Amino acid sequence: MSLYSFGLDPVSCHAWNKDRTQIAISPNTTEVHIYQKSGKEWTKIHELTQHSGRITGIDWAPISNRIVTCASDRNAYVWTLKDRVWKPTLVLLRINRAATCVKWSPLENKFALGSGARIISVCYFEKENDWWLSKHIKKPIRSTVLSLDWHPNNILLAAGSSDFQCRVFSGYIKDIEEKPGPTAWGSKMPFGEMLLEQGDDGGWVHSVCFSPSGNSLAWVSHSSTICVTDAANKKTVTQLKTEYLPLLAVLYLNETEIVAAGHDCCPYQFSYTGPGSLKYIGKIDLPKQNSKVNMSAMQHFRNLDKRATTENENTDLETLHQNSISQLCIVEGDRSKVTKFSSVGLDGDMVVWDFKH
Amino acid sequence: MSKATTNVDFRKVDVDQYEEEKYEDDAVVDDGVTGPNDAEVQALIAKGRLADALQTVLSTPPIASKNPAVKDKAAQVVMKVLTAFKAADIDGAIKNLDQNKLDVLMKYIYRGFEMSSEGNGAQLLVWHDKVFAVTGLGSIVRVLTDRRRV
């Protein structure tokens, strides 16, 4: 695993380019910074400053090389690289509250955006007028949409919301794609059709993730639980109540292994093998051994002088991250077999973790 | 402290009632569970079968009830059971509880802190410590986030 610190400010969101040589992050401000990898260091090469509100979501489409950013100023921009400069195009969202999260679809012909206006905007490019249009999914969402994830079939969309529910909608736009075939989630899929609504008893749904095949959906909630619903088995929900602080991000590493991280600053591995069997496997961050080295007399005196104590109190956390992890992203491997994933947190650090299957 | 000399009644006006799309929290449906049978639990405590008494009160919490009197009564019964335990027996009783019952127990412990009658405090803290050792921070978070309140 490798750690890189982007400074003291929290990293609110991040996205990688196709070959993972560049990363776009937002240091909890109205700007997006793009860094280029040079050896072990990262150097800033671009600053995207079009937004007037705090950036809440960034997603980088690997094949078409476009970045979509959304912010609390109720806007989203699609950025394209022209002559080595990123040029923004405004997206007509028609929302009256902040945008909270954004994700490109697998085929990159559309993207979904969640907002505090209780609306999911599915946006696509209309060639005739050369602009990005949006279609809204409103019912029956009753509160802010906190997280989104696309199904591999490019049609279904999972959304986690602060009305304690996790839902699956159809994001089928007939102007730009053909009618989808039936899936395990349902067969009739007009735009905005809700195919699943599953809730906890309390606790915002912070993050959702489809499995590589799309047959199961995992989500993490503020009630310190992780749930998986299995479309292949009549949409049965399996819930695991954890003994940790709430998790904020969840990611599938292969069809059965799930990694989730959150306020405990450490990624945890879970395994789902069928309805009723969702197990906690272990921590992915192995804590460093607290070395009780014999202190020299000089250190003793220094401690006594500075802190009026003779103990070697280390106030750092044992985990690599020193503050909550806010987002997980695939770095290496495709969805069905992830070998490296990255985490960013409120401590301003980005850590790339290795995973062996 | 000084008394407010200006009229602050405007702070009590409920502006949310004018919101068109007001969020109605209707998730908790009353399923008629009215809490543990007081007499039965008293009998178990008298016989000294405290672990069984604990199991009984934790399996029928009136979580879905909209009647605060029902909830208060159930909470009182649970407090009686919890205070009847000797500190040494608590570990054994906790071992036999499953995850759901442990969450309900943690909810009652915090309810007990709320009610804070004199004498209970120390015993409740011992219970809290022991349950926390088994379930960790997760159950405390669930006490705070779960809309099905005890």
Side-chain angles (χ1 to χ4, degrees):
Chain A
M1 60 195 86
S2 63
L3 182 149
Y4 183 77
S5 175
F6 282 104
L8 291 173
D9 295 314
V11 176
S12 30
C13 37
H14 73 305
W16 295 89
N17 72 341
K18 182 172 182 190
D19 50 10
R20 308 322 194 207
T21 52
Q22 292 184 13
I23 186 172
I25 65 150
S26 173
N28 211 33
T29 59
T30 59
E31 297 176 357
V32 176
H33 297 168
I34 300 187
Y35 287 79
Q36 169 90 34
K37 190 165 187 154
S38 44
K40 279 217 158 101
E41 297 298 313
W42 292 84
T43 39
K44 195 191 307 188
I45 51 171
H46 290 118
E47 273 188 23
L48 312 180
T49 55
Q50 195 74 4
H51 281 286
S52 55
R54 191 183 70 96
I55 307 272
T56 49
I58 306 177
D59 201 14
W60 199 324
I63 301 166
S64 50
N65 205 37
R66 290 178 295 193
I67 298 179
V68 61
T69 57
C70 70
S72 59
D73 59 0
R74 302 161 285 153
N75 285 337
Y77 290 96
V78 174
W79 303 80
T80 34
L81 191 62
K82 285 197 179 66
D83 303 320
R84 310 208 302 170
V85 175
W86 288 95
K87 291 259 182 315
T89 316
L90 179 65
V91 179
L92 288 141
L93 289 173
R94 302 176 287 128
I95 56 176
N96 57 6
R97 292 289 186 280
T100 52
C101 49
V102 69
K103 267 263 167 86
W104 281 108
S105 69
L107 293 178
E108 298 169 23
N109 51 0
K110 53 186 177 178
F111 62 86
L113 180 138
S115 67
R118 303 179 265 206
I119 288 174
I120 301 175
S121 293
V122 181
C123 307
Y124 59 101
F125 191 64
E126 208 200 16
K127 279 220 168 53
E128 291 120 44
N129 294 334
D130 196 32
W131 60 12
W132 287 86
L133 283 184
S134 67
K135 281 191 151 183
H136 287 167
I137 302 177
K138 272 188 142 177
K139 295 200 188 316
I141 305 174
R142 298 169 70 197
S143 190
T144 307
V145 177
L146 295 173
S147 57
L148 292 167
D149 192 35
W150 284 96
H151 187 285
N153 74 355
N154 208 55
I155 303 290
L156 298 177
L157 184 62
S161 164
S162 61
D163 61 0
F164 324 118
Q165 310 291 330
C166 170
R167 301 185 174 89
V168 174
F169 291 101
S170 160
Y172 164 63
I173 308 241
K174 68 179 194 305
D175 300 328
I176 56 165
E177 54 202 353
E178 297 150 15
K179 213 159 175 213
T183 65
W185 295 97
S187 39
K188 282 214 171 294
M189 290 180 279
F191 180 78
E193 178 79 6
M194 186 175 74
L195 301 161
L196 171 82
E197 184 183 53
Q198 205 45 254
D200 208 27
D201 308 302
W204 293 358
V205 178
H206 285 297
S207 181
V208 293
C209 190
F210 272 109
S211 68
S213 65
N215 285 334
S216 47
L217 173 68
W219 72 89
V220 283
S221 153
H222 201 78
S223 55
S224 292
T225 57
I226 174 170
C227 300
V228 179
T229 178
D230 199 340
N233 282 304
K234 299 202 191 75
K235 299 189 188 164
T236 41
V237 179
T238 313
Q239 183 192 58
L240 174 64
K241 296 186 178 184
T242 71
E243 49 186 58
Y244 310 111
L245 289 177
L247 300 161
L248 294 174
V250 69
L251 190 65
Y252 263 92
L253 297 174
N254 64 24
E255 194 63 32
T256 54
E257 305 307 302
I258 303 171
V259 65
H263 289 293
D264 266 327
C265 321
C266 172
Y268 295 109
Q269 184 187 344
F270 298 89
S271 176
Y272 176 75
T273 42
S277 80
L278 177 58
K279 287 194 202 30
Y280 166 65
I281 305 288
K283 289 190 190 181
I284 293 189
D285 185 356
L286 298 163
K288 11 184 215 289
Q289 302 308 316
N290 255 338
S291 48
K292 295 261 181 218
V293 180
N294 287 329
M295 281 200 293
S296 68
M298 187 60 196
Q299 276 184 309
H300 261 287
F301 178 72
R302 201 181 286 140
N303 272 339
L304 200 56
D305 183 38
K306 240 199 221 173
R307 291 182 269 178
T309 170
T310 44
E311 284 161 27
N312 184 16
E313 284 164 20
N314 192 1
T315 49
D316 288 347
L317 291 178
E318 281 185 356
T319 52
L320 268 180
H321 273 286
Q322 295 298 308
N323 208 327
S324 313
I325 296 176
S326 53
Q327 196 182 12
L328 295 170
C329 217
I330 298 176
V331 174
E332 210 178 275
D334 61 77
R335 278 186 83 143
S336 53
K337 196 168 177 192
V338 177
T339 47
K340 283 198 185 158
F341 63 93
S342 63
S343 62
V344 287
L346 302 183
D347 51 358
D349 293 343
M350 187 264 302
V351 179
V352 178
W353 307 87
D354 305 302
F355 183 75
K356 288 192 190 42
H357 292 260
Chain B
M1 298 297 279
S2 61
K3 198 166 157 194
T5 47
T6 53
N7 191 350
V8 290
D9 282 341
F10 68 92
R11 295 189 186 276
K12 298 196 183 108
V13 173
D14 179 19
V15 285
D16 286 331
Q17 61 183 290
Y18 303 112
E19 163 79 38
E20 286 153 358
E21 291 176 41
K22 190 172 164 193
Y23 179 78
E24 299 287 337
D25 196 358
D26 52 6
V28 185
V29 179
D30 196 341
D31 57 1
V33 175
T34 49
N37 187 335
D38 198 9
E40 190 188 324
V41 174
Q42 290 281 47
L44 285 172
I45 297 179
K47 281 193 220 147
R49 287 167 52 191
L50 293 171
D52 292 330
L54 188 63
Q55 291 274 1
T56 319
V57 294
L58 292 181
S59 39
T60 51
I63 281 179
S65 169
K66 301 251 193 313
N67 185 349
V70 169
K71 293 196 177 187
D72 286 339
K73 194 166 121 346
Q76 299 283 4
V77 175
V78 177
M79 285 307 116
K80 273 197 223 130
V81 177
L82 292 185
T83 46
F85 267 84
K86 284 202 261 306
D89 300 329
I90 295 181
D91 274 321
I94 290 181
K95 256 202 265 284
N96 292 330
L97 295 173
D98 68 1
Q99 180 69 304
N100 288 332
K101 292 221 176 70
L102 283 168
D103 280 349
V104 176
L105 177 56
M106 197 51 124
K107 284 186 196 166
Y108 272 117
I109 292 175
Y110 275 93
R111 191 64 152 66
F113 287 145
E114 260 180 78
M115 303 195 302
S116 78
S117 43
E118 311 306 322
N120 275 354
Q123 178 77 322
L124 275 178
L125 282 172
V126 173
W127 272 100
H128 186 276
D129 194 33
K130 307 256 181 223
V131 178
F132 175 68
V134 175
T135 58
L137 291 161
S139 70
I140 299 182
V141 174
R142 277 186 284 281
V143 171
L144 297 171
T145 57
D146 205 330
R147 286 175 301 154
R148 297 174 312 174
R149 311 202 54 203
V150 159

